[in-house]
Amino acid sequence: MNDFLRPQALRLVLEKGLFLDVEGWGDFSKFNGLPRVYGGEFVFCTSMTGIEESLTDPSYYKQVLVTTVAHVGNTGFTNEDVESHQIWAEGLVVRHLSHQASSWRAQEALLSWIIREKKFLIHKIDTRMLTVYLRTEGSQRGIVFERGSMTDAEALSRLNEEIPSMQNLELLSKVTSKKTEIFEDKNIYWPQHEDRQQKQLKSSPRVAVLDFGVKTNTPRILARLGCEVTILPAHSTAEEMLEVGKEGIFLSNGPGDPEATKKVVEELKKVLGKRPLFGICMGHQLIAHALGAKTYKLKFGHRGIHHPVMRFENGKPSGKTLITSQNHGFAVDEKTLPAGVEVTFRHANDGTNEGICAKALRCSSVQFHPEAAPGPFDALFFFEEFVDLISEGLHRES
Amino acid sequence: MSHEDIKTVLILGSGPIVIGQACEFDYSGTQACLALKEEGKRVVLVNSNPATIMTDPGIADRTFVEPLDPLTVVQIIKAEGIDAVLPTMGGQTALNLILSLSKIPGALEGVKVIGANLKAIHLAEDRRAFREVVESLKCEVPRSNIIRSVEECEAFANEVGYPFILRPSFTLAGTGQSFVFHAEELKEKCVVALTESPIGEVLVEESVLGWKEFELEVMRDPLDNAIVVCSIENLDPMGVHTGDSITVAPAQTLTDKEYQAMRRDALRIVKKVGVETGGCNVQFAVHPQTGRRVVIEMNPRVSRSSALASKATGFPIAYVATKLALGKNLSDIDNQVTKITKACFEPTIDYVAVKIPRWDFEKFSGATDQLLPQMQSVGEVLAIGSSFGEAYHKALNSLEQKWPSSDSKSMPPLKEAHSKRGFQIWDTLAKGATADEVASVTGWDPWFTREIKQFIQENNLHPKANVLSLEKKNNKTHYPMIDTCSGEMPAVTPFYYSTRDNLVRDEKLFDKLFPSPLKGGKKVVILGSGPNRIGQGVEFDYCCVHASRTLQRLGFETIMVNCNPETVSTDPRSSTRLYLEPLHADSVKDILERELDLKADNHFVLLQTGGQTPLKLSKKIEEWGYKILGSTQETIDLFEDRSRFAKLLESLNIQYPPFRVAQSKEEALRAAKELGFPLLVRPSYVLGGRGMRICETDVDVEETIEEALDVSEQHPVFIDKFLVGAVEFDVDGICDGKKAWIGGVMEHVEEAGIHSGDSACVIPPFRLPPSKIDEMAGIAKKIAIQSHTQGLFNVQMAVVNDQVFVIEGNPRASRTIPFLAKATGYPLIDWGMRAALGENVSELTKEGNIPGNYRLPGHGFAVKMPVFPFSKFKGFDPILGPEMRSTGEVMGVDKGAGAAFAKAFLGAGISLPTYGRVLFSLRDSDKTKALNIVRLFEMLGFEIAGTPGTAEYLKRAGVEVVSISKIGQGNKDENLLACIRDQKIQLIVNTPGTRGSLKDGMSIRQAALRFRVPLLSTLSGAEMACLAIKAIKKGDIRPMALQDFVSPST
Ligand SMILES: Nc1ncnc2c1ncn2[C@@H]1O[C@H](COP(=O)(O)OP(=O)(O)O)[C@@H](O)[C@H]1O
Ligand SMILES: Nc1ncnc2c1ncn2[C@@H]1O[C@H](COP(=O)(O)OP(=O)(O)O)[C@@H](O)[C@H]1O
Ligand SMILES: [Mg+2]
Ligand SMILES: [Mg+2]
């Protein structure tokens, strides 16, 4: 093993009192005279594939991913599979790391990419233990530092000073794009078969995608369904949204506490009813806020690509279940939903809200990720429904 | 008919264990019965295999141990008022059966086919229809065509080139499948493939040899919700049947994009084919360098891999599939593992599960040890580890096979897929080959070889490290739970695997989160029987599962240890706690330490229900200080050590065949001189008569002794006086240490010298006077009492010239226990366990009223008939001998002997003719004895034919007989081969001779196999066939439920 690959002796300290000697990689050189640390909210994720997609998902900003799957890095890294231009998660905790990639598409090993992106990776840890710990004690902050560079007490105090708690944390402004941009599909590897026959339209529906930390697959799907997609910064005004999103407005996923994003909610209230709205994840939560509902923090959230959600029709389960990709730590409080807003989905395991619809306002949203990446495509039809809705009137007369 | 109107459901079983269809269908069928009963349905079951748990009278409401043939099933449907048939739990057998039923006018009138409808079965099973479906979805398939003649095949070859693959439609486990590499072999292979297909249709297909193979397990409900329960990746690339491949779950070398595309295709295909409800699988091949993905096939039913996927994930596929078949939705069904969530989710796992098949090529001398697109393995193991390397290591150690030496000259080269390559790859890596070298030679993805290499290095394991203990690191063993969800939800199903990984843990936290089981209470650790192999199969799983039920009823916690994913015992519902672990001393020791208290009086280890596997551990278990339930190590040793057993017999004045012990060729020859020929050479510490040979001359002894010594691994070889023309018996009983009770005396149809497991057997005995039967029962009792047996036991005897010889004894439940339990209707394992715990045998067996002379309580006849895998092994001469070769068995029951025989033949797949021509080709010693039987056939209206020598003899004895020249002689179009091929012979009786005539006989037997003409290789078998044909001709054969059969009143 060359030196580059030799792991360093590290220490992991979690907020509620778990202390472990671990090994891993990262940049632990001194910074301003202090030992450099990594930190964030430790969350577990049960996906068995798709680590590149997850690490580059802006929703993981300020978080450390604990993956449950036994081996990570088997297929290495390829920039065909990233969902944004950088790794947003602080770091990665895995059980077994594959040092060499084995895939016909791999460009380099997972680890060298993570090191290049200046993130950290810990391996050889009992992730089952850590997961069940996070499940029972809740997601929590933690820091990672060079072993021996400070005491656990010092580490805890740095944790409290430097690492913000997720509750009430505003992160959208950190991850959103800074300027308005027309989306261009770089046409990367896309092994799906498209079932759908493209509709013949007079012109392309114009959609504004509000970027709260959007994953590339969202505008890509909209574009493939024939939309003209414009990406807008998170803090755009209602006027800007209406101007660009002539036919519809799409609210993306994103990190942080939806409660902490009052300004965006105010703007959203102004567009309600004026355009069809469709939101996912953070977008869903912000639509709920705009409608007057509230959100709350989940103990350990839902992160993974095997989450079952049940569809509801007229307040009753329809019997339809979808397997979905999820990544969220907050949820919409159904008790606070105003009249006229219907629950469309609930998580099949814990019954938390997964989707709402305000028909009169042509506004619907889901907590899970129909754009997948990573994850199954069971819910892709949402995009199709949305595009059908906004294309009304654009159909070519025949 | 709506699902609510369904009151009575018929489940079709899968019949005898054969290669490609093993006890996974006992597991699925048993789960199906359970699920149907939970839904309040009346369950009727038909399955000819008595060794199964599903055929226990208590499992279904009406149990038919009857042949799985359409006419039988039609009668059952009519007689039992069946509303719906569930054909997706019994493998290919059940699917083919339902298709045949659908062709009989009126057979399925008013009967709903649930699970998969006929249209879906047809679409999935007919390779051409299936391709059309796949292509309509814009998915790729290998280029191909359907052919019905050699000419069509040649046309295809000219277009696509070589190699290509021939795949007969409607067959099982790749039967008849082969690659054609060049034009010269096209014709022969094509003809075989055409005959294999029941509809004379073969798919010819572009070869995708060397591509990666994947399989997804899919479930779909009536509302069109579909989930993938598990992805499985084959380590051996395309070209080796999935059933013969080493496989891993979950898939390891796909990116999310590739996996999701595959998943989506699988779901689209399932929906399009229209598998309405239930489980099925879809197989894919992926080009390793381009990612091109093609669909290989789908099975619209639960399968071997769904059993594997159930055990690897904890998701009970067959159980859920049955509920779906009744019209429920995934979201209506509870997740059995968490109890708080529903079945509509996809399991996610945080460990790695590795399956390695087990083969028995050694038993088929002449057969080539080469893995093909046609399955040849007889069983498999599943091991779970924290990493792939660990799981792979555990799997190798679960096989219970000697670690083969990779230097030996008999070891095939690494580049060919063969039965020992799993070990060979390990050795080669351990000895220094690089992971990439091994990957490129074997066609494995380098990820796997790298992980194995890394595991070997990190744990400092040496070549042949066939020990599980990673001593050097002294790692602690941890037991994570198999919970379907990687710890995301609390799980209640107590199903564990062990790991000795060296991961970072907070031990205190670990113990708090995952508390060890309490040491108090009454507990029994049950050791299972490991992978299926010839000689030890599903029957022992039956015994273990029953033992668990009984012991639980008696207030014990039962802790099951087994590594065979096909079984009911590895269903977490079969015990209080389940460990999916190798039956290796190190793993067992860890589990005993975790579960049992050495000082507790009511903590036991149960060995006597798992066949020979657990008995091998008895000495160690005693040394470690644990209590064995029932017969102690002392008793076990008394039976297992042949010299001690002989002394015991002598002390009781019981005869046994004289024997000598030999450790070299010289000693063997000396023994031969002392004992006189014929002799039986028997290696020790083997199962199923492995390496056993009959010797008639010194030359024979010289030829066999070497192999025998090798098989015995340093232990001496026994040389017995061979008993010529003896009738063999199995006697099963129960003893409480002081008193013994005999449950049955079973007479073998074939004479001693043909392994008891390969011989048909009958209750009650019919060839000997009652006094002899009583004498044998008495002998068995004496042996049990004298040896202080506690629990179940078995004694095998042979009778010649009115004298009884004891051949062997087993201080455990025997292969015949399930058969006997079904024939008598008595809960033998239940009583056996209670006797082992000290209950009084006379009290226990009070209801066990065996009528005089060991007839059956229901006054009928029960016949057990073995089935053989000969058609799977090329180049092997299908004759019977003291080495067991059958993979499974069927049972025929009826109030009349002839009908019971007829049912057994039919169940075993031998359809006896009622008219036509019978060919005799007999060894000299049989000719006189055969005359009676020939006359019987004449009387039944058959025309008699013979090979020249036999015909000559029969003619002289006054029989009207046609002489037919042997294969390779006479006129090419009229010799035996031509007659067999052209269906001019309906039945063959061929008793194998020695030397020269053996070779002639071999070509007859192989021709019979190839062209599916029923073949009987013993005179007693032929006699039995006569009785059966007589009963068939009389036409009074009706299916009979076990519940009626065992009852004396009907
Ligand atoms: N076109 C092909 N080229 C190479 N190997 C093939 C091809 N098709 C099938 N095989 C091999 O044959 C095996 C059995 O084929 P499959 O269609 O799964 O039949 P079965 O019904 O017996 O499972 C596969 O597991 C694979 O290894
Ligand atoms: N001395 C003998 N004479 C004739 N046949 C024998 C003799 N010993 C064993 N056999 C035959 O060999 C078979 C296998 O022998 P057995 O001792 O039962 O071994 P296993 O442990 O494999 O069951 C028996 O079923 C019987 O048919
Ligand atoms: Mg197959
Ligand atoms: Mg025997």
Side-chain angles (χ1 to χ4, degrees):
Chain A
M1 209 183 276
N2 60 35
D3 276 350
F4 171 70
L5 286 178
R6 189 151 308 185
Q8 280 172 272
L10 305 173
R11 183 125 174 113
L12 165 65
V13 171
L14 291 187
E15 191 176 2
K16 295 201 176 148
L18 181 62
F19 305 91
L20 293 172
D21 279 343
V22 296
E23 58 176 52
W25 297 263
D27 179 3
F28 293 97
S29 52
K30 285 230 156 112
F31 184 71
N32 283 342
L34 282 176
R36 202 198 289 255
V37 301
Y38 285 93
E41 185 185 37
F42 277 65
V43 295
F44 68 85
C45 169
T46 59
S47 321
M48 296 192 283
T49 49
I51 195 67
E52 295 135 286
E53 286 92 333
S54 294
L55 289 173
T56 53
D57 175 355
S59 295
Y60 278 115
Y61 186 48
K62 294 285 175 204
Q63 288 179 328
V64 174
L65 242 82
V66 177
T67 53
T68 58
V69 65
H71 293 274
V72 173
N74 311 14
T75 52
F77 167 74
T78 163
N79 64 7
E80 291 175 346
D81 290 357
V82 297
E83 282 298 308
S84 69
H85 62 281
Q86 70 166 91
I87 297 183
W88 290 97
E90 275 294 301
L92 183 60
V93 180
V94 306
R95 188 183 299 169
H96 300 290
L97 173 72
S98 302
H99 284 279
Q100 267 175 290
S102 179
S103 162
W104 59 284
R105 296 199 297 129
Q107 293 156 345
E108 68 180 304
L110 184 72
L111 181 60
S112 64
W113 174 53
I114 289 177
I115 291 175
R116 187 151 44 76
E117 292 262 325
K118 302 228 170 327
K119 303 296 182 187
F120 80 90
L121 187 151
I122 289 173
H123 74 153
K124 292 199 176 156
I125 194 163
D126 182 351
T127 48
R128 169 70 70 101
M129 178 195 78
L130 198 51
T131 297
V132 175
Y133 177 75
L134 292 174
R135 184 190 84 209
T136 47
E137 298 293 319
S139 301
Q140 56 194 281
R141 290 174 297 167
I143 70 171
V144 176
F145 52 94
E146 203 177 345
R147 206 181 300 163
S149 66
M150 58 179 148
T151 64
D152 289 344
E154 282 166 343
L156 278 172
S157 78
R158 277 193 72 175
L159 180 149
N160 281 317
E161 281 160 30
E162 293 172 28
I163 300 164
S165 131
M166 220 22 98
Q167 194 100 36
N168 260 316
L169 189 64
E170 197 278 340
L171 292 174
L172 301 192
S173 50
K174 307 282 198 317
V175 300
T176 181
S177 60
K178 301 287 177 282
K179 54 181 199 295
T180 304
E181 227 175 341
I182 303 227
F183 174 77
E184 252 184 278
D185 193 351
K186 306 244 167 58
N187 200 26
I188 57 135
Y189 181 72
W190 179 265
Q192 295 300 327
H193 296 281
E194 262 125 295
D195 292 329
R196 190 177 144 108
Q197 295 277 311
Q198 225 41 275
K199 295 252 163 69
Q200 291 298 305
L201 299 177
K202 274 188 291 193
S203 58
S204 309
R206 288 152 296 181
V207 181
V209 171
L210 229 51
D211 176 11
F212 304 139
V214 72
K215 283 156 66 192
T216 318
N217 219 34
T218 300
R220 181 181 300 137
I221 292 169
L222 288 169
R224 277 176 184 264
L225 290 172
C227 299
E228 182 185 310
V229 181
T230 310
I231 311 276
L232 288 183
H235 293 289
S236 303
T237 63
E239 290 71 35
E240 286 165 330
M241 294 180 209
L242 294 170
E243 172 62 29
V244 177
K246 280 277 184 309
E247 271 73 46
I249 300 173
F250 185 96
L251 311 178
S252 85
N253 61 297
D257 186 345
E259 290 269 7
T261 324
K262 297 263 158 45
K263 245 169 57 203
V264 177
V265 173
E266 287 316 307
E267 295 305 310
L268 289 180
K269 283 183 180 160
K270 295 184 215 158
V271 302
L272 276 182
K274 301 209 173 95
R275 293 281 186 278
L277 281 191
F278 180 34
I280 59 178
C281 200
M282 176 61 89
H284 161 71
Q285 294 162 354
L286 294 182
I287 285 179
H289 276 286
L291 291 166
K294 293 218 168 343
T295 53
Y296 62 98
K297 192 168 190 311
L298 294 167
K299 190 170 176 191
F300 50 88
H302 297 142
R303 290 173 193 85
I305 58 179
H306 308 89
H307 286 274
V309 298
M310 297 204 292
R311 188 161 204 161
F312 280 71
E313 270 159 19
N314 307 319
K316 283 200 291 291
S318 72
K320 190 84 196 129
T321 310
L322 305 177
I323 303 298
T324 64
S325 176
Q326 301 212 1
N327 171 17
H328 63 111
F330 292 87
V332 171
D333 184 354
E334 286 186 0
K335 293 193 298 294
T336 63
L337 287 172
V341 181
E342 219 189 300
V343 168
T344 52
F345 283 99
R346 286 203 185 112
H347 199 285
N349 292 347
D350 63 11
T352 55
N353 180 266
E354 291 282 348
I356 56 173
C357 172
K359 265 218 184 81
L361 297 170
R362 289 190 299 167
C363 160
S364 74
S365 60
V366 290
Q367 180 62 67
F368 50 87
H369 290 259
E371 83 283 13
F377 288 89
D378 288 16
L380 205 62
F381 64 88
F382 275 103
F383 286 95
E384 295 167 0
E385 283 177 12
F386 177 63
V387 174
D388 286 346
L389 180 71
I390 63 176
S391 324
E392 272 169 26
L394 295 176
H395 289 278
R396 193 165 272 166
E397 268 99 297
S398 53
Chain B
M1 188 186 327
S2 86
H3 289 285
E4 285 79 63
D5 295 337
I6 296 175
K7 301 222 163 43
T8 304
V9 180
L10 174 66
I11 299 182
L12 305 180
S14 68
I17 305 289
V18 293
I19 288 178
Q21 233 173 231
C23 46
E24 60 269 17
F25 298 110
D26 187 24
Y27 167 61
S28 57
T30 307
Q31 288 223 327
C33 290
L34 202 93
L36 288 171
K37 280 200 162 170
E38 271 178 20
E39 297 300 318
K41 307 295 177 196
R42 181 169 165 267
V43 183
V44 180
L45 170 74
V46 51
N47 190 0
S48 52
N49 184 347
T52 50
I53 292 152
M54 70 195 291
T55 50
D56 250 6
I59 300 270
D61 295 291
R62 299 282 286 165
T63 312
F64 289 87
V65 180
E66 291 285 337
L68 290 160
D69 105 294
L71 296 176
T72 309
V73 177
V74 171
Q75 293 183 46
I76 295 172
I77 290 177
K78 300 287 174 249
E80 296 292 323
I82 302 294
D83 300 318
V85 182
L86 180 63
T88 50
M89 298 293 150
Q92 198 65 35
T93 301
L95 282 192
N96 288 350
L97 186 55
I98 194 79
L99 287 177
S100 320
L101 284 171
S102 72
K103 289 183 194 120
I104 301 176
L108 292 176
E109 209 177 284
V111 177
K112 200 176 163 96
V113 178
I114 56 174
N117 63 28
L118 291 166
K119 186 175 144 264
I121 295 173
H122 185 78
L123 277 184
E125 290 294 310
D126 181 325
R127 296 210 188 256
R128 178 175 36 181
F130 179 65
R131 294 179 65 85
E132 277 162 18
V133 168
V134 174
E135 283 174 336
S136 76
L137 293 168
K138 299 203 196 77
C139 298
E140 270 195 76
V141 280
R143 286 166 64 197
S144 76
N145 211 342
I146 301 283
I147 56 136
R148 269 173 229 85
S149 68
V150 176
E151 292 70 41
E152 285 175 17
C153 186
E154 282 165 350
F156 176 82
N158 291 338
E159 196 187 310
V160 176
Y162 296 87
F164 62 89
I165 184 170
L166 295 165
R167 290 141 64 72
S169 295
F170 290 96
T171 61
L172 163 80
T175 306
Q177 213 155 264
S178 61
F179 288 98
V180 181
F181 291 96
H182 34 76
E184 293 83 78
E185 55 184 20
L186 183 143
K187 188 166 176 208
E188 195 198 328
K189 287 188 171 172
C190 185
V191 170
V192 174
L194 284 166
T195 28
E196 283 294 345
S197 165
I199 57 170
E201 201 181 84
V202 174
L203 179 87
V204 282
E205 194 172 272
E206 164 196 2
S207 157
V208 292
L209 276 177
W211 292 30
K212 301 200 244 199
E213 189 165 0
F214 295 89
E215 182 165 347
L216 301 188
E217 293 300 317
V218 182
M219 311 224 55
R220 181 180 179 220
D221 75 13
L223 289 174
D224 205 19
N225 298 306
I227 57 167
V228 171
V229 175
C230 187
S231 63
I232 301 174
E233 176 165 358
N234 290 8
L235 273 62
D236 296 297
M238 288 292 288
V240 174
H241 193 273
T242 0
D244 274 3
S245 275
I246 299 180
T247 63
V248 58
Q252 296 292 334
T253 66
L254 291 176
T255 63
D256 185 62
K257 288 211 167 40
E258 292 150 16
Y259 171 70
Q260 299 302 345
M262 187 181 283
R263 175 184 181 279
R264 188 149 178 246
D265 282 353
L267 299 188
R268 290 163 77 236
I269 291 168
V270 170
K271 291 178 180 187
K272 184 81 177 203
V273 166
V275 178
E276 285 175 302
T277 49
C280 56
N281 64 37
V282 187
Q283 281 160 247
F284 295 90
V286 174
H287 192 283
Q289 269 83 48
T290 66
R292 186 181 151 208
R293 176 176 71 251
V294 297
V295 178
I296 298 300
E297 70 153 356
M298 94 164 253
N299 291 306
R301 55 173 169 86
V302 303
S303 61
R304 178 176 46 258
S305 34
S306 29
L308 190 118
S310 297
K311 306 306 165 58
T313 62
F315 189 105
I317 294 178
Y319 171 84
V320 173
T322 306
K323 297 232 157 164
L324 296 179
L326 287 176
K328 291 210 155 197
N329 297 316
L330 284 164
S331 52
D332 301 332
I333 303 166
D334 287 333
N335 175 342
Q336 296 295 322
V337 171
T338 62
K339 300 282 186 206
I340 49 172
T341 61
K342 299 293 175 184
C344 55
F345 75 107
E346 291 196 350
T348 174
I349 60 183
D350 62 353
Y351 44 78
V352 180
V354 171
K355 169 207 94 175
I356 305 188
R358 190 183 146 125
W359 293 267
D360 273 339
F361 282 110
E362 309 81 58
K363 287 185 161 284
F364 302 92
S365 57
T368 7
D369 181 352
Q370 187 190 7
L371 307 187
L372 306 166
Q374 157 173 348
M375 184 169 161
Q376 290 168 299
S377 60
V378 292
E380 63 190 24
V381 296
L382 183 72
I384 294 186
S386 150
S387 65
F388 168 73
E390 183 177 52
Y392 187 78
H393 187 221
K394 279 173 80 174
L396 286 179
N397 279 301
S398 301
L399 287 168
E400 280 179 66
Q401 273 172 332
K402 197 170 97 181
W403 199 285
S405 157
S406 58
D407 309 322
S408 106
K409 46 185 188 313
S410 65
M411 180 70 91
L414 190 61
K415 74 171 197 304
E416 275 161 29
H418 58 86
S419 70
K420 300 185 190 77
R421 193 161 75 160
F423 293 99
Q424 193 184 16
I425 285 174
W426 177 281
D427 274 4
T428 312
L429 289 166
K431 283 187 184 140
T434 70
D436 288 8
E437 277 162 19
V438 174
S440 76
V441 174
T442 53
W444 281 21
D445 189 294
W447 188 84
F448 297 108
T449 50
R450 284 176 199 151
E451 287 296 323
I452 295 170
K453 177 110 189 167
Q454 188 180 339
F455 183 78
I456 294 173
Q457 284 172 342
E458 279 182 4
N459 292 291
N460 256 312
L461 295 173
H462 298 291
K464 305 204 189 108
N466 54 341
V467 276
L468 276 171
S469 47
L470 307 177
E471 285 152 26
K472 188 162 170 293
K473 302 244 168 190
N474 212 7
N475 293 344
K476 194 176 157 207
T477 308
H478 292 89
Y479 290 94
M481 198 185 267
I482 294 168
D483 68 352
T484 71
C485 63
S486 296
E488 184 168 17
M489 287 176 283
V492 291
T493 294
F495 178 12
Y496 303 91
Y497 71 95
S498 77
T499 175
R500 294 198 188 196
D501 55 23
N502 51 352
L503 299 177
V504 172
R505 289 190 177 84
D506 178 328
E507 290 295 342
K508 269 221 208 82
L509 174 63
F510 188 96
D511 290 343
K512 193 179 123 210
L513 296 175
F514 311 107
S516 302
L518 298 174
K519 284 267 169 109
K522 293 159 71 175
K523 284 186 178 187
V524 178
V525 173
I526 303 174
L527 301 186
S529 58
N532 271 13
R533 65 207 85 164
I534 290 176
Q536 189 169 301
V538 61
E539 56 278 2
F540 297 109
D541 205 61
Y542 167 98
C543 296
C544 288
V545 170
H546 271 270
S548 177
R549 295 216 177 114
T550 298
L551 292 165
Q552 280 182 325
R553 229 179 303 118
L554 297 174
F556 284 89
E557 281 192 354
T558 57
I559 295 113
M560 187 76 75
V561 185
N562 201 3
C563 56
N564 181 348
E566 301 169 341
T567 56
V568 178
S569 68
T570 50
D571 178 348
R573 291 216 220 174
S574 299
S575 55
T576 315
R577 272 187 296 288
L578 167 65
Y579 291 85
L580 192 87
E581 285 291 300
L583 288 152
H584 183 287
D586 291 348
S587 315
V588 170
K589 186 164 183 236
D590 279 345
I591 294 168
L592 298 184
E593 271 169 17
R594 175 175 150 97
E595 288 283 355
L596 301 186
D597 182 349
L598 281 173
K599 286 181 259 47
D601 323 322
N602 40 21
H603 281 194
F604 299 99
V605 188
L606 178 63
L607 308 180
Q608 58 174 263
T609 50
Q612 209 59 26
T613 296
L615 285 197
K616 285 192 289 198
L617 295 174
S618 64
K619 208 161 148 229
K620 290 211 167 111
I621 285 166
E622 201 195 48
E623 275 166 24
W624 299 330
Y626 296 100
K627 276 179 278 305
I628 296 170
L629 182 59
S631 301
T632 59
Q633 156 62 19
E634 168 60 17
T635 304
I636 294 171
D637 192 60
L638 203 50
F639 275 92
E640 294 284 292
D641 180 330
R642 285 197 77 210
S643 310
R644 289 191 68 188
F645 192 57
K647 286 212 189 79
L648 175 89
L649 295 177
E650 273 162 31
S651 75
L652 294 169
N653 262 328
I654 298 170
Q655 290 196 84
Y656 58 90
F659 68 89
R660 299 283 183 278
V661 181
Q663 248 162 332
S664 66
K665 196 161 90 184
E666 292 67 42
E667 282 177 23
L669 289 170
R670 195 170 336 121
K673 198 157 278 144
E674 286 168 28
L675 293 169
F677 289 104
L679 294 171
L680 186 68
V681 172
R682 27 191 315 156
S684 40
Y685 294 93
V686 297
L687 185 94
R690 173 78 195 95
M692 248 189 222
R693 298 280 180 275
I694 299 167
C695 297
E696 313 223 10
T697 61
D698 277 353
V699 182
D700 290 349
V701 173
E702 284 172 17
E703 274 174 17
T704 42
I705 190 74
E706 210 116 314
E707 192 201 346
L709 283 168
D710 184 50
V711 174
S712 309
E713 302 177 34
Q714 275 99 54
H715 299 292
V717 167
F718 288 89
I719 300 191
D720 284 20
K721 178 84 188 160
F722 181 75
L723 304 172
V724 180
V727 186
E728 192 171 348
F729 293 83
D730 255 288
V731 182
D732 282 323
I734 296 167
C735 183
D736 60 12
K738 295 179 203 74
K739 253 198 149 110
W741 173 84
I742 299 300
V745 178
M746 287 154 271
E747 179 173 325
H748 291 269
V749 173
E750 283 80 13
E751 56 197 40
I754 288 174
H755 195 280
S756 54
D758 277 2
S759 155
C761 95
V762 194
I763 321 180
F766 65 106
R767 275 182 290 195
L768 293 188
S771 62
K772 271 279 153 277
I773 310 298
D774 289 337
E775 185 186 336
M776 282 189 279
I779 287 176
K781 280 191 199 171
K782 270 200 227 158
I783 293 173
I785 293 166
Q786 184 71 18
S787 61
H788 305 294
T789 295
Q790 278 177 293
L792 296 145
F793 68 91
N794 160 273
V795 181
Q796 286 165 25
M797 298 177 216
V799 181
V800 233
N801 303 330
D802 231 27
Q803 293 181 57
V804 180
F805 293 85
V806 168
I807 293 180
E808 70 159 351
N810 292 303
R812 56 168 171 84
S814 71
R815 189 177 297 123
T816 38
I817 284 287
F819 169 69
L820 185 60
K822 261 142 228 189
T824 56
Y826 296 145
L828 299 180
I829 297 284
D830 184 292
W831 292 348
M833 288 304 102
R834 287 158 64 180
L837 283 165
E839 283 188 49
N840 181 308
V841 155
S842 332
E843 282 296 307
L844 275 177
T845 56
K846 254 203 322 250
E847 306 126 64
N849 252 326
I850 303 280
N853 308 322
Y854 295 93
R855 277 175 297 132
L856 288 173
H859 299 286
F861 290 82
V863 178
K864 181 176 95 118
M865 174 105 62
V867 296
F868 299 92
F870 297 144
S871 65
K872 304 275 174 181
F873 297 99
K874 299 201 177 87
F876 171 75
D877 184 8
I879 50 171
L880 305 181
E883 169 151 14
M884 183 171 165
R885 298 196 179 85
S886 59
T887 50
E889 66 200 31
V890 296
M891 180 174 183
V893 296
D894 207 283
K895 297 283 170 182
F901 281 133
K903 288 176 175 183
F905 272 111
L906 190 55
I910 303 171
S911 47
L912 292 172
T914 46
Y915 56 86
R917 201 190 259 176
V918 185
L919 174 94
F920 286 85
S921 180
L922 305 170
R923 61 173 169 221
D924 291 343
S925 55
D926 278 345
K927 284 179 180 155
T928 348
K929 278 184 278 174
L931 212 49
N932 264 338
I933 297 166
V934 174
R935 292 254 147 78
L936 277 174
F937 274 105
E938 267 188 323
M939 254 144 59
L940 287 167
F942 285 88
E943 199 185 316
I944 307 294
T947 45
T950 308
E952 184 57 38
Y953 174 84
L954 292 177
K955 202 175 282 164
R956 263 191 271 122
V959 181
E960 197 178 312
V961 54
V962 187
S963 171
I964 298 177
S965 48
K966 290 186 180 172
I967 295 175
Q969 297 168 2
N971 182 335
K972 219 166 145 225
D973 296 318
E974 280 165 26
N975 74 10
L976 191 48
L977 184 61
C979 291
I980 293 175
R981 187 191 56 211
D982 303 339
Q983 315 272 300
K984 288 192 188 132
I985 287 170
Q986 278 62 46
L987 181 72
I988 299 173
V989 180
N990 169 239
T991 58
T994 44
R995 314 262 141 215
S997 67
L998 190 68
K999 205 149 154 255
D1000 288 340
M1002 174 162 160
S1003 48
I1004 299 176
R1005 291 184 286 273
Q1006 287 182 332
L1009 262 182
R1010 200 159 123 205
F1011 297 100
R1012 294 161 183 262
V1013 177
L1015 168 79
L1016 303 166
S1017 61
T1018 59
L1019 288 182
S1020 40
E1023 192 177 352
M1024 194 167 125
C1026 278
L1027 290 174
I1029 291 169
K1030 205 163 144 194
I1032 296 170
K1033 289 191 104 167
K1034 251 170 78 192
D1036 60 352
I1037 301 179
R1038 295 243 164 289
M1040 180 170 228
L1042 267 192
Q1043 285 84 353
D1044 298 339
F1045 176 73
V1046 298
S1047 139
S1049 54
T1050 48

